Amino acid sequence: MIKRKNVLKIAIDSPAAAGAGTLAKAISKHYNLFYLDTGKIYRFIAYLRIKHPKKFNYKFIKSKIKLLKIKDLSDNNLLSDEVGTEASIISKIKSIRKMVHSFQINFAYNPPKKYKGSCLDGRDITYNIIPDADFKFYITANIKTRALRRFKELKGLKKKITYQEVLKSIKKRDKSDFNRKISPLKKTKDSLLINTTNLNKRACFLKIKKIIDRKTNN
Ligand code: C5P
């Protein structure tokens, strides 16, 4: 694999709806980093399973991943709660993780030339995908805050869902993501904890920016 030199790499892990995506996007924009929401890749595969249950096998997924473009990940169909739940199921399959792994590593270490580096968020980024990242963050918030944020997001997308349903599915996903045997979500010792429960987007961004600037300006 080609590795570009002097690439600034930021790794973020977080449970569902903790605000990591919003923050990662803001950080990436500010520092001109290539941003990859790795959950979207699992969602993309989950959506394939929902859409083509009969064709869904290793060969089929591999052919789709081979052709996968970043713009395919902005499909609004990937944002539903149903796809999120399915993603947490298929993400436990070892062969699928292996396939997705190389796609992510390539983007982390060899981002398009116009970017200064990369910023990836997911569940196993800090210890599996970019273990040598320049900055590692574990972003979290309490479960009710996360459910409320996701509920508002889904309502904004005109999805038919109640707050209680969102809360239930986030609890289910947490249980699966934290406890699975393969690549479980965890806060590594070398990750900095950012709790976004009582912070707005701007405050979270400034907190992270301060940490990055302190190290990169020295
Ligand atoms: O981040 P998002 O909620 O979109 O992720 C959907 C699901 O994909 C997660 O619940 C998790 O099970 C899985 N995932 C993963 N590893 C990643 C990113 C997401 O297992 N790096």
Side-chain angles (χ1 to χ4, degrees), residues 52-211:
H52 311 280
K54 290 199 178 122
K55 284 192 202 165
F56 194 83
N57 60 33
Y58 184 81
K59 229 173 126 185
F60 177 68
I61 307 167
K62 191 148 193 180
S63 67
K64 296 287 181 192
I65 292 288
K66 230 174 152 181
L67 300 173
L68 182 63
K69 298 272 175 305
I70 289 300
K71 66 171 171 37
D72 300 331
L73 301 178
S74 30
D75 181 349
N76 267 355
N77 286 315
L78 305 186
L79 298 174
S80 74
D81 195 54
E82 183 197 5
V83 174
T85 302
E86 189 63 36
S88 74
I89 298 168
I90 59 98
S91 65
K92 287 193 252 187
I93 304 169
K94 204 173 174 179
S95 56
I96 290 185
R97 291 206 80 85
K98 226 174 145 188
M99 218 188 293
V100 171
H101 196 137
S102 42
F103 184 88
Q104 297 171 34
I105 289 187
N106 187 41
F107 276 104
Y109 290 90
N110 194 22
K113 286 261 156 51
K114 63 175 177 180
Y115 296 103
K116 239 175 78 182
S118 59
C119 174
L120 274 66
D121 70 18
R123 304 292 186 281
D124 59 344
I125 310 302
T126 54
Y127 68 95
N128 213 4
I129 308 297
I130 330 179
D132 63 342
D134 301 280
F135 295 95
K136 295 184 182 184
F137 297 102
Y138 182 83
I139 296 175
T140 191
N142 74 34
I143 190 140
K144 285 187 179 162
T145 304
R146 290 194 278 130
L148 192 61
R149 285 180 190 158
R150 181 52 50 90
F151 172 65
K152 285 183 182 165
E153 193 185 327
L154 292 171
K155 279 282 137 198
L157 292 164
K158 307 262 182 288
K159 305 273 184 204
K160 269 195 182 157
I161 196 155
T162 65
Y163 167 76
Q164 284 305 329
E165 283 166 341
V166 176
L167 181 64
K168 197 174 158 200
S169 99
I170 288 194
K171 276 187 184 162
K172 197 171 152 199
R173 238 160 13 108
D174 273 4
K175 200 171 165 203
S176 170
D177 291 351
F178 280 111
N179 299 313
R180 68 186 178 203
K181 285 208 175 76
I182 175 164
S183 305
L185 171 63
K186 60 186 175 192
K187 183 201 163 296
T188 59
K189 276 188 187 150
D190 57 356
S191 295
L192 290 158
L193 176 75
I194 308 281
N195 189 325
T196 70
T197 307
N198 297 312
L199 295 175
N200 65 27
K201 289 176 196 171
R202 182 80 188 145
C204 292
F205 169 73
L206 291 175
K207 199 168 177 171
I208 292 185
K209 183 180 174 297
K210 202 170 162 187
I211 295 165

